[in-house]
Amino acid sequence: MPLVIVAAGILVLLLLIMGLKLNTFVSLIIVSFLVAIALGMPLPDIAKTIEAGLGGTLGHLALIFGLGAMLGKLIADSGGAQRIAMTLVNKFGEKNIQWAIVVSSFIIGVALFFEVGLVLLIPIVFAISRELKVSILYLGIPMAAALSVTHGFLPPHPGPTVIAGEYGANLGEVLLYGFIIAIPTVIIAGPLFTKMAKKLVPASFTKTGSIASLGEQKEFKLEDTPGFGISVFTAILPVILMSIATIITLTQETLGIEDNFGLAIVRFVGEASMAILISLLVAIYTMGLARNIPIKDIMNSCSAAITQIGMMLLIIGGGGAFKQVLIDGGVGDYVAELFKGSTLSPILLAWIIAAILRISLGSATVAALTTAGLVIPILGQSDVNLALVVLSTGAGSLIASHVNDAGFWMFKEYFGLTMKETFATWTLLETIISVAGLGFIMLLSLFV
């Protein structure tokens, strides 16, 4: 019965969001209450459970998410992202233009959330496409692949960051292993998949697309933007700080080095929230003050970044509330009991559950959070590496984006595709990322 109740709850959620066009956050809260009542939770405890789930999820995420949004906004508003993209395009040359797009999108994708990166990079892709007279989709698929992979696998993006908090995984390890998985996945889903897509739907590579819906874009003269080196450094500084701390900690554990004040400082600086705060302060200088931009304008960019992510934070909080209902309502324990003694790896189980929920719900972040509510009780029965379970949940939550996902429609409209062409490009692209990601995670699990 618990799984039937969850399935019914997901159907109600779909009806509220897609049928009645109700706000996703409001829908998640309504369904959380309904599922809690159906599971037989004591009425006085339901509101407390929902508040605990919402607060616990946002308590871990809000600081990282908020500071990360500000960092990305400063890089975008200063022209740093444009400098990274155009410099790499010039360095790689026309023959290797796809690889230039992949590398620049990956670097920018580390610092910017998926939707922001897409809106920022698409005008650049269109401009390069016109100049070199190549198909926009030929450049668009590698760009989308890099942005989607960083969104699904790398902190400080919301999915991997919030799931790491729910599972109690080390965020630095998630980042380190995420990079190992992300690079080959981007190569497969980007330049290699483009060749396959060209054979599947050749007509889609003749489309011109339209970015009219993006409105007037802020354009920079390249000489007025920050330098390439400082732009890249600022964008990936959080990754550098977290990676250094993780590598040093893993080395300490492997060699049995005694703890000391120096190592404690390294761990402190490498904590996700501290690393992003330091990076934001660096960005305020490198992307702003060093270029004689008034502090008022810099702070306006930071304020705009928070305004843009407000609803996203609420939706993540609503997903956290639903997750907590599944745990406190006993659904997680029921799933754990079902798989007691099973030889199925928690890595594979998390991917399967997240994939089913992603196809049903559309939102990758909500799918990942709901998966956490079902998988957390199982983790106590296994010695599996928690960072890999985080990544497999992220991989599952990316699969088969279709009509219930905003990304599907964004890709379709910007590149001027038909429904069939969007399924054969965007939906297949997301599925390849999900399946290839799982394959590399399972391979990595043999060594860590």
Side-chain angles (χ1 to χ4, degrees), residues 411-426:
F411 194 86
K412 177 185 180 298
E413 294 306 314
Y414 292 148
F415 293 101
L417 305 177
T418 64
M419 290 291 284
K420 179 190 171 184
E421 289 167 343
T422 313
F423 279 116
T425 51
W426 171 252

Side-chain angles (χ1 to χ4, degrees), residues 375-395:
V375 171
I376 286 170
I378 296 169
L379 298 178
Q381 305 172 5
S382 168
D383 61 352
V384 68
N385 185 296
L386 293 176
L388 295 184
V389 183
V390 171
L391 292 169
S392 71
T393 305

Side-chain angles (χ1 to χ4, degrees), residues 186-214:
V186 166
I187 292 169
I188 292 168
L192 296 182
F193 170 63
T194 307
K195 293 178 181 177
M196 178 182 161
K198 214 166 184 178
K199 291 177 182 175
L200 282 174
V201 277
S204 63
F205 284 80
T206 64
K207 301 294 177 69
T208 54
S210 171
I211 52 170
S213 61
L214 294 178

Side-chain angles (χ1 to χ4, degrees), residues 2-16 27 30-32 34-35 38 322 361:
L3 292 183
V4 173
I5 291 168
V6 172
I10 290 168
L11 286 173
V12 172
L13 188 60
L14 286 172
L15 176 67
L16 293 175
S27 301
I30 291 170
V31 168
S32 297
L34 293 176
V35 169
F322 189 37
L361 298 172

